[in-house]
Amino acid sequence: MLEKALRGSKRYYLWLAILAVLIAVGAAAYTRQLTYGLGLTGMSRDVPWGLYIAQFTFLVGVAASGVMVVIPHYLHNFRAFGRMVILGEFLAVAAVIMAILFVFVDLGQPTRVLNVLLHPTPHSIMFWDICVLGAYLLVNIVIGWAVLGAEKKGFPPPRWTRILTILSIPLAISIHTVTAFLYAGLPGKAYWLSAIMAARFLASAFASGPALLIILSLIIRRFTSFKVTDLAVDALVKIVCYAMIANVFFFLLEVFTSFYSAIPSHQASLRYLFVGLDGSGGLVPLMWVAAVLALAGITLLLVPRLRRNLRLLPVSLVAIFVACWLDKGVGLVLGGFVPNAFGRVTDYLPTANELLIICGVYALGLFILTILYKIVIAVRTTNEEELSKTDS
Amino acid sequence: MSELRRTQKDIKGTYVTKGTVPFVTYVPFMSLERREFIRQGFAAGLLGLGALGSLGALGTLVGCSKVAAPAATAPAATTATAAPAAPAAQRWGLVIDPALLVKTQAFNAVAQACHSHHNVPQISDPKTEVKWIWQDDFAHCFEEMDSAYLPAALRELQFPVLCNHCENPVCVRVCPTQATFKRDDGIVDMDYHRCIGCRFCMTSCPYGARSLNFCDPQPYIAQVDPGYPTRMRGVVEKCNFCVERLAQGLPPHCVEASQGAILYGDLDDPASEVRQALAGSLSIRRRPELGTEPSVYYLLRGAESPTDAPKGGEPHA
Ligand code: SF4
């Protein structure tokens, strides 16, 4: 089926070429980091995890969000999502690959990464995260490929893919729950030490992931003959909206507990993020942008007339997506490290080299996603053409 | 004999240099048993089980080093045979008298001894520095106990801080490769060769006790001490309670340099010096509410009183 990815328009090749350049630049930046060490990043003794791990955390959420199409389609027979299921699965594949790559580029000794498998350590949440992420990646590749292969030959998908798809639902929930547990079980990190962490992670994932999926579907609809129906879009938009409301609600629960209890250690990170602490507040503007975007996005999606406006829809979805990214792909990880074990504030600012590596990983993910989507579209459109030929 | 057989079994899967030098040059994946072997090997060698055991054990340790090993083993081995048998402990702990340390002005010597003997690179940038033991004031070390009306003497007192060798170490719990592990004697030790540099331990340690080698540490080591392995970039490190010294029956470097202000011993033994000191005075630990059970105690023996510090003389000077 891969041959389908080789035939495309000029625009398609141009897009891939741009991504390839970004990947190459990222790879060069990573080589620098590899030879010098993590000192080339903005990370420090006090902020040992930076944007890499934050991207990992965010992307695991994007990957998990595929279930928001799978559940209605497979468990509730909501057939309108039929065309979107495979898009969701392949988005999950690209997102998991990026997530894993972000962990990899974050390692101080990447050549030893297999030590995690050679010395399996069940008391480390990292071990479980790798297990569920690997399983989820595999399941999605296998399902997507099998379903598409059957479709190409004009057969219905084999029965076992259905079983595997249903299995992927708890797996999707587990990848993001376990990722939340990386943070939520650490004594002494008050901002993360919260029982609602996993729930908040899932809510934000189910808002940001499907938002991205809709944006991608709209782009595909615009540039190809592969049409996702309005009904499907509207249904998924509602899911995005309510998930985002839950996400904001969970966040406000954190704010209440921290500030009504008035325990200083529980307030410190939130203060640092939203008003600044001890004169440091580099993230403050970003967090307020996130807050405004979240509320604006929710309003735009909640009012039916605004939601159905297809011109406005991408704007609303981008607002939601960016808000979730700022919250989880920036603030959550960085905020948790402030203050440090001695009550001091250490700021983190990513370096240019670090940002290039991040761009490179995202470009690689987009490259993979483009190829996978190209194959989906090619298979589907040729099938439909043949169908219409036989019909006439 | 059984120990010997054990060592042979455990050494499988590692490279041993061919020829006469019986040290391991490359230990890619140490298993827990291998650490057991290092420890037992040390003990065996020191108990006089033979030069082979001793050299093998020392070699294993030095094998982690980039430093030329054969030269390193020789002096260490001599010390080993001369030293008394390594004392065993259920749970090693430190008791620090910060006021006494200020009085004797020994802290710089303490940090110097620790850092130079362990080849800790001296990097000046506070963001990427590597440190095993350093000082901070009461308000920062014991934030939750701080108040505006503390005696000025206590406020100004500097407290040495280091890895607490927690009874329930979070760093060990989160490490995905068991590169950080807790020994039976309570010491939280590390295998620098297994560490993948994920920094989960740095994130989780509630005491900020851990440092990453953000770059190659070699240029920042003034003089390499062959008695302890140097590290490479990308791995985490921290205080190791001088396991290499304990195995030779010697006190940790900080204890030795502290002029009596830092005591070490078995916290499980009521007769030990540390327990005696703790029984005779008020002591505090950092963030005990987290349940990590730190093994480093700080004495407040009336030192907080501005008039005559410390009361009752210096029983362990
Ligand atoms: S102080 Fe930190 S590094 Fe040391 S044992 Fe405790 S958790 Fe681990």
Side-chain angles (χ1 to χ4, degrees):
Chain A
M1 265 186 304
L2 267 176
E3 78 281 353
K4 299 267 185 207
L6 294 178
R7 242 175 301 139
S9 62
K10 262 202 189 121
R11 213 165 32 197
Y12 169 71
Y13 278 112
L14 183 67
W15 169 240
L16 287 187
I18 295 171
L19 291 178
V21 169
L22 288 176
I23 295 168
V25 171
Y30 181 64
T31 317
R32 278 190 72 204
Q33 179 185 302
L34 202 58
T35 42
Y36 181 83
L38 286 169
L40 274 193
T41 69
M43 290 185 269
S44 59
R45 232 181 150 274
D46 290 334
V47 189
W49 282 350
L51 280 187
Y52 296 152
I53 291 296
Q55 300 322 295
F56 153 78
T57 308
F58 177 72
L59 286 166
V60 171
V62 172
S65 69
V67 292
M68 286 294 105
V69 227
V70 167
I71 292 177
H73 184 259
Y74 281 89
L75 296 187
H76 301 279
N77 255 322
F78 184 69
R79 290 295 160 201
F81 278 168
R83 281 162 177 263
M84 266 182 164
V85 169
I86 192 137
L87 296 184
E89 278 159 356
F90 280 160
L91 176 60
V93 169
V96 175
I97 291 175
M98 284 189 274
I100 292 173
L101 271 176
F102 272 119
V103 174
F104 186 78
V105 299
D106 184 68
L107 293 180
Q109 278 293 335
T111 52
R112 298 181 187 162
V113 64
L114 284 180
N115 280 5
V116 177
L117 301 176
L118 289 167
H119 310 285
T121 310
H123 53 69
S124 173
I125 299 292
M126 194 91 82
F127 167 75
W128 292 105
D129 214 16
I130 285 163
C131 289
V132 287
L133 273 176
Y136 188 66
L137 176 63
L138 203 70
V139 162
N140 275 295
I141 292 180
V142 169
I143 298 173
W145 212 249
V147 168
L148 208 58
E151 210 167 291
K152 193 180 160 216
K153 294 190 194 109
F155 292 137
R159 262 197 75 76
W160 57 264
T161 57
R162 197 188 154 81
I163 299 166
L164 217 53
T165 310
I166 288 174
L167 188 78
S168 79
I169 297 172
L171 260 181
I173 309 283
S174 73
I175 58 169
H176 218 27
T177 305
V178 175
T179 304
F181 285 177
L182 289 177
Y183 300 94
L186 304 180
K189 288 273 184 289
Y191 188 45
W192 298 336
L193 191 70
S194 160
I196 209 161
M197 196 69 137
R200 200 178 139 198
F201 267 42
L202 285 167
S204 119
F206 295 158
S208 57
L212 180 60
L213 190 57
I214 301 167
I215 296 172
L216 292 171
S217 304
L218 292 177
I219 295 174
I220 291 173
R221 187 155 94 169
R222 175 137 190 200
F223 290 106
T224 74
S225 56
F226 184 77
K227 306 285 182 216
V228 172
T229 60
D230 279 348
L231 177 65
V233 169
D234 194 55
L236 199 52
V237 167
K238 279 184 208 148
I239 291 177
V240 170
C241 180
Y242 289 110
M244 192 61 185
I245 292 173
N247 184 25
V248 171
F249 177 64
F250 291 160
F251 173 74
L252 292 176
L253 295 184
E254 296 272 22
V255 175
F256 171 79
T257 305
S258 304
F259 285 86
Y260 195 80
S261 72
I263 301 173
S265 61
H266 286 257
Q267 299 175 356
S269 294
L270 281 168
R271 278 187 198 281
Y272 173 69
L273 289 176
F274 284 92
V275 291
L277 198 68
D278 294 349
S280 282
L283 296 175
V284 172
L286 290 182
M287 295 325 286
W288 283 107
V289 167
V292 170
L293 287 177
L295 293 181
I298 288 176
T299 317
L300 289 173
L301 294 186
L302 208 52
V303 181
R305 198 145 34 89
L306 298 176
R307 182 176 69 231
R308 294 210 187 94
N309 181 337
L310 280 180
R311 283 244 184 92
L312 208 56
L313 185 61
V315 178
S316 329
L317 292 171
V318 168
I320 299 268
F321 185 80
V322 173
C324 288
W325 181 76
L326 286 171
D327 167 44
K328 208 155 74 185
V330 179
L332 183 109
V333 173
L334 299 182
F337 287 111
V338 175
N340 73 0
F342 293 86
R344 290 201 177 81
V345 179
T346 305
D347 278 321
Y348 159 89
L349 200 69
T351 60
N353 201 67
E354 200 174 354
L355 291 174
L356 288 177
I357 294 176
I358 292 173
C359 277
V361 174
Y362 271 116
L364 185 63
L366 276 179
F367 194 96
I368 293 170
L369 189 69
T370 308
I371 301 268
L372 290 174
Y373 277 13
K374 170 79 184 159
I375 295 171
V376 172
I377 295 161
V379 168
R380 293 251 159 115
T381 42
T382 30
N383 274 5
E384 271 156 29
E385 273 161 26
E386 273 162 25
L387 268 183
S388 56
K389 259 185 240 158
T390 44
D391 279 353
S392 55
Chain B
M1 198 58 227
S2 70
E3 267 190 357
L4 267 183
R5 220 177 314 128
R6 190 190 166 86
T7 57
Q8 273 162 3
K9 189 187 83 201
D10 289 338
I11 208 154
K12 253 191 280 168
T14 60
Y15 295 111
V16 181
T17 46
K18 292 204 182 89
T20 49
V21 192
F23 68 88
V24 181
T25 48
Y26 177 50
V27 190
F29 314 114
M30 277 191 178
S31 65
L32 274 176
E33 297 79 54
R34 282 198 51 68
R35 282 127 180 187
E36 188 69 14
F37 157 63
I38 295 174
R39 206 159 67 234
Q40 287 185 355
F42 253 119
L46 297 160
L47 286 167
L49 259 175
L52 185 76
S54 156
L55 274 172
L58 288 164
T60 311
L61 196 83
V62 182
C64 300
S65 167
K66 287 170 155 186
V67 195
T73 39
T78 0
T79 340
T81 34
Q90 298 295 310
R91 188 181 163 202
W92 286 109
L94 288 180
V95 172
I96 301 176
D97 186 338
L100 187 57
L101 200 56
V102 169
K103 216 171 140 197
T104 57
Q105 297 186 322
F107 179 75
N108 284 344
V110 164
Q112 163 74 24
C114 167
H115 289 157
S116 65
H117 286 298
H118 291 119
N119 298 320
V120 176
Q122 296 302 298
I123 297 166
S124 52
D125 178 5
K127 282 195 164 183
T128 54
E129 69 185 334
V130 179
K131 49 189 179 183
W132 285 24
I133 185 165
W134 67 103
Q135 291 198 103
D136 212 328
D137 60 14
F138 185 85
H140 289 99
C141 294
F142 303 96
E143 219 186 343
E144 63 291 337
M145 281 181 243
D146 189 27
S147 97
Y149 312 121
L150 287 175
L154 185 59
R155 231 165 212 292
E156 280 147 30
L157 195 55
Q158 289 286 309
F159 291 76
V161 284
L162 64 155
C163 169
N164 286 289
H165 297 279
C166 305
E167 172 108 76
N168 299 314
V170 200
C171 55
V172 172
R173 207 181 304 155
V174 301
C175 177
T177 62
Q178 294 152 47
T180 288
F181 57 98
K182 192 175 153 219
R183 313 192 328 165
D184 291 340
D185 58 4
I187 294 174
V188 175
D189 198 4
M190 278 198 66
D191 180 339
Y192 307 121
H193 251 170
R194 192 188 280 187
C195 174
I196 59 172
C198 72
R199 310 183 302 295
F200 203 178
C201 55
M202 291 173 79
T203 299
S204 70
C205 169
Y207 305 98
R210 295 178 158 264
S211 313
L212 176 81
N213 286 284
F214 278 93
C215 59
D216 180 12
Q218 295 285 351
Y220 301 93
I221 304 171
Q223 203 185 354
V224 172
D225 186 325
Y228 194 76
T230 57
R231 276 73 66 191
M232 60 197 301
R233 67 165 182 275
V235 301
V236 174
E237 61 180 81
K238 63 163 193 77
C239 155
N240 71 339
F241 212 103
C242 286
V243 287
E244 78 285 3
R245 303 251 308 165
L246 293 182
Q248 300 174 39
L250 299 170
H253 285 298
C254 59
V255 171
E256 197 173 68
S258 71
Q259 300 179 31
I262 304 178
L263 305 176
Y264 83 117
D266 188 354
L267 288 170
D268 278 359
D269 174 9
S272 70
E273 206 182 0
V274 281
R275 282 287 296 274
Q276 300 282 307
L278 291 175
S281 154
L282 172 66
S283 61
I284 52 175
R285 290 183 292 175
R286 291 185 65 204
R287 305 180 86 174
E289 74 280 6
L290 299 179
T292 50
E293 295 290 337
S295 301
V296 175
Y297 289 75
Y298 298 89
L299 292 184
L300 294 180
R301 294 185 309 134
E304 65 281 14
S305 127
T307 43
D308 52 0
K311 274 181 206 141
E314 297 157 20
H316 46 262

